[in-house]
Amino acid sequence: MNDDKNTEEKILNAARQVFIEKGFDGTRMQEIADTAGMNKALLHYYFRSKEKLFMKIFEITFKQFVPKMSGIFSSDTSFMDKIQLFISSYIDLLDKNPYIPLFIIRELSRNPNVIKELIFDKFEIIYNAIDLNVKAEIQAGRIRDIDTKHLILNTVSMCIFPFVGKPLLKHLFKTNDDEYRTILIERKNVVFEVIKKWISI
Amino acid sequence: MNDDKNTEEKILNAARQVFIEKGFDGTRMQEIADTAGMNKALLHYYFRSKEKLFMKIFEITFKQFVPKMSGIFSSDTSFMDKIQLFISSYIDLLDKNPYIPLFIIRELSRNPNVIKELIFDKFEIIYNAIDLNVKAEIQAGRIRDIDTKHLILNTVSMCIFPFVGKPLLKHLFKTNDDEYRTILIERKNVVFEVIKKWISI
DNA sequence: TAGTACATTAACTAAATGGTTAAACTCAAT
DNA sequence: ATTGAGTTTAACCATTTAGTTAATGTACTA
């Protein structure tokens, strides 16, 4: 019997919440059931096993995060604008979902095979789109001769790591949650400035 | 009965290995015992509980990583040299211990309280040392007016994240382990270049 | 050599955990 | 009302896991 949402959706929501916070190893099926407000057996009725339920969650979460960046680089604004837009919207996305990067990294590190069962063919499209842009800009003499890989590494590192490293960095800076969040939002400008200065002629 | 190392040391070595790879939740006391080549009861004989053994490991690992950076900023070379030295030696350190950042982040995220029981008073010293350097350079007009927090965030992000995000980024770049490691080593120059361009007048 | 303090082990316990089952419930179609 | 298919639950099961215990081994000393 359903309240407003159907049972499957309630399970997925609860599972996402618990898995993202505690990781696969730290998650108990009972806790998911409690969070969803139902009997533990229902989880198995709908998803057979913890592993299967987890994979569903991981897949959904992963697909939610990766492709968000792909679209930007096919629009027709200037390269610099694309970069600025990417940084700004990605930090916004992280601000709304601060625990997802660590979740993905943690679980990918626990079991690197999961990525093979996922859409990592999309990766090629994304990388090629960016690489094409970069090469064209270099050719046209609008930016310095940089390596696309390092451009990506630098940009995503500076965007993501402050979220992932928060528990440590918060202490280093002696900030509370609000102050730290302010810094994170400031980074929309800072990261773009850093990248711009680096690639500009 | 000891072979060459004493038992306590063998336990600590095995525990470090397993905890760092699998995290607290993913670690079984039996696996540590197997790795150390001894009976599981010995772990409890020497360290009482999984929690206590874990804290020992975390403390050792944490202390091994944080203070390495503090010394550099009290030497008397130029500011730019200090930054370059920091980046270079930190990436070397990460290259030798690539799993430690994720370990620290993962466990700090699982239980943020552990940091309070640790030396995070050292943090203040480190931060102040860097901040003093930065302010002096700005005052002297040798670098632009930048925020110390963002300097730290940018630098450590670009150094650490490529190690933490390896399982994902390796696929994005379609590289094998050797190729990816080459990129990581290249970053000693890249990261310095990026920071230098950013802070130079 | 007997005693003793510490080290090590095999066997065990209690609790937790993922998963199963059989019965009960709900509701729409007959 | 009855049926029947899908849903939900309480109780249960087998295994795993952190932690304990009691007995055995070891090495040093008086």
Side-chain angles (χ1 to χ4, degrees), chain B residues 48-64:
Chain B
R48 289 193 43 129
S49 72
K50 183 184 179 184
E51 187 71 36
K52 290 238 173 59
L53 176 56
F54 173 82
M55 279 306 297
K56 261 272 175 8
I57 297 297
F58 188 84
E59 198 177 325
I60 293 169
T61 307
F62 191 82
K63 283 184 178 167
Q64 188 186 45

Side-chain angles (χ1 to χ4, degrees), chain A residues 21-22 25-28 62 66 69 99 101-102 104-106 108-110 112 115-116 120-121 123-124 126-127 144 146-162 164-165 167-169 171-175 180 183-184 186-187 190-191 193-195 197-198 200, chain B residues 21-22 25-28 62 66 69 99 101-102 104-106 108-110 112 115-116 120-121 123-124 126-127 144 146-162 164-165 167-169 171-175 180 183-184 186-187 190-191 193-195 197-198 200:
Chain A
E21 190 193 330
K22 313 218 166 166
D25 291 330
T27 291
R28 300 291 98 99
F62 190 81
V66 174
M69 42 175 143
Y99 299 117
L102 178 55
I104 291 177
I105 289 165
R106 187 210 285 135
L108 233 41
S109 156
R110 184 180 62 90
I115 204 173
K116 287 177 187 153
F120 84 104
D121 33 306
F123 271 16
E124 196 165 7
I126 295 172
Y127 181 81
R144 291 176 49 244
I146 54 160
D147 182 334
T148 305
K149 294 189 187 70
H150 286 294
L151 174 63
I152 294 174
L153 282 174
N154 292 337
T155 308
V156 302
S157 294
M158 286 193 286
C159 287
I160 298 178
F161 189 76
V164 172
L168 192 68
L169 295 161
H171 275 88
L172 178 60
F173 297 154
K174 295 206 178 303
T175 50
Y180 193 78
I183 294 172
L184 290 175
E186 279 172 21
R187 292 190 63 70
V190 174
V191 175
E193 192 184 54
V194 172
I195 295 293
K197 296 243 180 210
W198 175 49
S200 292
Chain B
E21 190 193 329
K22 313 218 165 167
D25 291 329
T27 292
R28 301 288 99 98
F62 191 82
V66 173
M69 44 174 142
Y99 299 116
L102 178 55
I104 292 176
I105 289 165
R106 186 209 287 135
L108 233 40
S109 156
R110 185 181 61 91
I115 205 173
K116 287 178 186 153
F120 84 104
D121 33 307
F123 271 15
E124 196 165 7
I126 295 172
Y127 181 81
R144 291 176 49 243
I146 54 161
D147 183 333
T148 304
K149 294 189 188 70
H150 286 294
L151 174 65
I152 294 174
L153 282 174
N154 292 337
T155 308
V156 302
S157 293
M158 286 192 286
C159 287
I160 297 178
F161 189 76
V164 172
L168 193 67
L169 295 161
H171 275 88
L172 178 60
F173 297 156
K174 294 205 177 302
T175 50
Y180 193 79
I183 295 171
L184 289 175
E186 280 172 21
R187 293 190 61 71
V190 175
V191 175
E193 193 185 53
V194 172
I195 295 291
K197 295 244 181 211
W198 175 49
S200 292

